[in-house]
Amino acid sequence: MGDTADGLQPVPEPSLDEQIAVYQREFQDLDPQVEKVVSALSRLNRRMNVAYGRQTAALGISNAEWEVLKALVISGAPYRMGPSELAKQLGLTPAAMTHRIDRMTAEGLVTRERDESNRVRVIVELTAGGRSKWLDAMRAATIFEEDLLQDLSTEERGVLGDMLTRLLDRVEDLQSRN
Amino acid sequence: MGDTADGLQPVPEPSLDEQIAVYQREFQDLDPQVEKVVSALSRLNRRMNVAYGRQTAALGISNAEWEVLKALVISGAPYRMGPSELAKQLGLTPAAMTHRIDRMTAEGLVTRERDESNRVRVIVELTAGGRSKWLDAMRAATIFEEDLLQDLSTEERGVLGDMLTRLLDRVEDLQSRN
DNA sequence: TCTGAAGACTTCACAGCTAAAGTTCGACGC
DNA sequence: GCGTCGAACTTTAGCTGTGAAGTCTTCAGA
C-alpha cells in the first residue's frame, strides 16, 4: 500500500489558497479576500513567535520574559512599573504576573520592592543585567525582522504599516465598545 | 501628591508610535518602519485572539477547540485526520493533542477510533455536532472579520493580503532552512 | 479614631501545555 | 518465524497560565 492508507493523507500543511478554497466550498458566504488577510495574519504571527522563541531561548530567557523586558524598556527610564500595570499591558492576569516576576527576580533580570511612599504598591525595576538581555534580544530580533521584510520596498513597508495601524485602531475601537 | 506617586505612572497603554519613539531612543539602529510593521502585527494578533475567544466562548467551546474543528474541515470530507497530523498543523506536541481530543470526544465534537487497516494509527473524525459548531463559529467570525476590515477598500484588501502572503512565504522559507 | 470600602498584590486550586519516557503495532533483515 | 528498529500515540511529571479567594494598605466618612 502506498502513501495514502485509506483515510489518512500526509497533508504536510495546506497552502493559504488551498485552505481558503476548501473554506469556500464548505461555507458559501465567505469573502475570500477577507479570509486571506486574517488567515495570513494568524499564520504569520504563529511563525514569528516560533522564530522569536528560538532567539530568546538562545539567550537563556523565554519569550514571556522578553515581553516583560520590552514593556519595562518602553516605559522609559528609570524602567519601573507596577505588576498590575505590566499585567494589563501584556494581557495577563495579575496572578500570572506575580509568578513571572518571581522567576525573573530569581534570574536577576528585575528587582521587586515595595513602594515606601505607598506601601500597597510594588515596584518592579529593570536591572542592568535585564537591560543587557533586552539589548541582546533586540539585536537578534531586528536582524530577523529586517530579513522578514526584505522583499518589501520602502513604500510597501510604509503602506503595510499604515494599513495595519488602521486595523489596530479599528479592533481597539470594537473592543472598547464591548 | 497627585496621580504620579513618584515612580509609577498610570500608563494605560502606550500608542504604537510612542512605543517606537522610546525604542529609538534606547536602541539607535532601529528601523522605525520595520518596527511599526512587526509591532502592529503582534498587537493586532493579540487583540484578534481576544475577540475570537469571546465568540467561541459564547458558543460553549474554546479557541483551542475551534482550531481543531477548522483543521478538520479544511482537510475536506470525510473530515478525518490523525492526531499527529493535527498536532503538526496546530503547532502542538502530540501529547497536547491527545488531551484535546479527549476533551472534544467527551463533548461530542469528534470521534476517535483505531484505524483497523493499520492499528498503530488513530482516526479523529468530525461529528455532525462538531461540524455544526464550526459553522456557528464561522458565522460569528466572518461578521467580526468583515467589521475589522471595513475601513479598507477592496483594492487595499487585495494589496494587504498580497503583502502578508509574501511575508508568510518569506518566514516559511527562513524556517525551512533552519 | 475607628470602621468600611476599595485597591494592589499574593495565594490556592485547577486547567492545558511541553518534554521525556512508555506502550503498542508494523516493517525489515536474518 | 524471530528479533529489532521505528512510528504513532499515550502517560507522567513539571511548568505556566486563569479565576477566585485572601491579605494588607489606604482613604473617606461617622
Side-chain angles (χ1 to χ4, degrees):
Chain A
M1 226 162 283
D3 263 324
T4 60
D6 198 71
L8 288 179
Q9 290 87 351
V11 180
E13 37 190 355
S15 84
L16 211 56
D17 287 324
E18 281 165 12
Q19 164 176 335
I20 293 172
V22 177
Y23 263 27
Q24 277 193 282
R25 268 208 303 283
E26 303 285 336
F27 185 72
Q28 270 69 26
D29 5 340
L30 183 73
D31 184 334
Q33 215 176 26
V34 171
E35 192 59 26
K36 184 158 186 171
V37 169
V38 296
S39 295
L41 276 174
S42 146
R43 276 204 198 189
L44 189 51
N45 220 70
R46 191 163 33 189
R47 303 285 190 163
M48 287 175 67
N49 283 336
V50 170
Y52 288 132
R54 286 183 190 166
Q55 294 182 333
T56 52
L59 296 173
I61 62 177
S62 71
N63 247 338
E65 290 170 335
W66 188 39
E67 295 289 330
V68 176
L69 298 181
K70 281 197 286 189
L72 283 168
V73 171
I74 291 172
S75 79
Y79 313 119
R80 303 163 140 223
M81 295 177 76
S84 45
E85 220 181 318
L86 278 167
K88 226 170 282 176
Q89 275 195 28
L90 304 187
L92 295 178
T93 60
M97 211 56 237
T98 295
H99 296 319
R100 269 198 202 178
I101 295 169
D102 286 348
R103 299 192 291 272
M104 294 180 71
T105 301
E107 292 163 1
L109 298 171
V110 300
T111 58
R112 166 162 48 190
E113 56 183 89
R114 278 211 173 272
D115 182 345
E116 286 307 327
S117 72
N118 180 346
R119 297 186 41 71
V120 174
R121 290 173 180 260
V122 168
I123 298 179
V124 178
E125 181 171 338
L126 193 59
T127 64
R131 192 166 193 300
S132 144
K133 277 287 180 196
W134 172 81
L135 242 184
D136 293 341
M138 204 64 191
R139 275 194 261 269
T142 53
I143 290 172
F144 163 71
E145 291 163 0
E146 182 57 52
D147 221 8
L148 177 67
L149 295 192
Q150 128 180 325
D151 294 341
L152 269 57
S153 70
T154 302
E155 292 82 30
E156 285 177 320
R157 295 178 186 192
V159 170
L160 180 56
D162 176 56
M163 288 197 288
L164 291 176
T165 306
R166 282 158 67 197
L167 290 188
L168 192 56
D169 289 344
R170 180 84 187 128
V171 77
E172 281 172 358
D173 189 34
L174 286 174
Q175 276 174 16
S176 65
R177 70 176 68 167
N178 273 354
Chain B
M1 228 164 276
D3 264 325
T4 60
D6 198 70
L8 289 179
Q9 290 87 352
V11 182
E13 36 189 355
S15 83
L16 211 56
D17 289 323
E18 283 164 13
Q19 165 178 332
I20 293 172
V22 177
Y23 262 26
Q24 278 193 280
R25 268 205 305 281
E26 304 284 337
F27 186 72
Q28 269 70 24
D29 8 337
L30 183 72
D31 183 335
Q33 216 177 24
V34 171
E35 192 59 27
K36 184 158 183 168
V37 169
V38 296
S39 295
L41 275 174
S42 146
R43 277 204 197 189
L44 189 52
N45 220 71
R46 190 159 37 188
R47 303 285 189 163
M48 287 175 65
N49 282 337
V50 170
Y52 287 132
R54 286 183 189 166
Q55 293 182 334
T56 52
L59 295 174
I61 62 178
S62 71
N63 246 339
E65 289 169 337
W66 189 38
E67 294 290 330
V68 177
L69 298 181
K70 280 198 286 189
L72 283 167
V73 170
I74 290 171
S75 80
Y79 312 119
R80 302 163 142 226
M81 295 177 76
S84 44
E85 221 181 316
L86 278 167
K88 225 169 281 175
Q89 276 195 27
L90 304 186
L92 295 178
T93 61
M97 210 56 237
T98 295
H99 296 318
R100 271 200 200 176
I101 295 168
D102 286 347
R103 299 191 291 273
M104 293 179 72
T105 301
E107 291 163 2
L109 297 170
V110 300
T111 58
R112 165 161 49 188
E113 58 183 270
R114 281 213 170 269
D115 182 344
E116 286 309 326
S117 72
N118 180 346
R119 297 186 42 73
V120 174
R121 290 174 178 257
V122 169
I123 298 178
V124 178
E125 181 171 337
L126 192 61
T127 65
R131 193 165 193 299
S132 145
K133 279 286 180 198
W134 171 80
L135 242 184
D136 292 342
M138 205 62 194
R139 274 194 262 269
T142 52
I143 290 172
F144 163 72
E145 291 163 359
E146 181 58 51
D147 222 7
L148 176 67
L149 295 191
Q150 124 179 333
D151 294 341
L152 268 56
S153 70
T154 303
E155 291 83 31
E156 285 177 319
R157 295 177 186 191
V159 170
L160 180 57
D162 177 54
M163 287 197 289
L164 291 176
T165 306
R166 282 158 67 196
L167 292 187
L168 192 56
D169 289 345
R170 180 84 186 129
V171 77
E172 282 172 357
D173 189 33
L174 286 175
Q175 277 175 15
S176 66
R177 71 176 69 166
N178 271 354

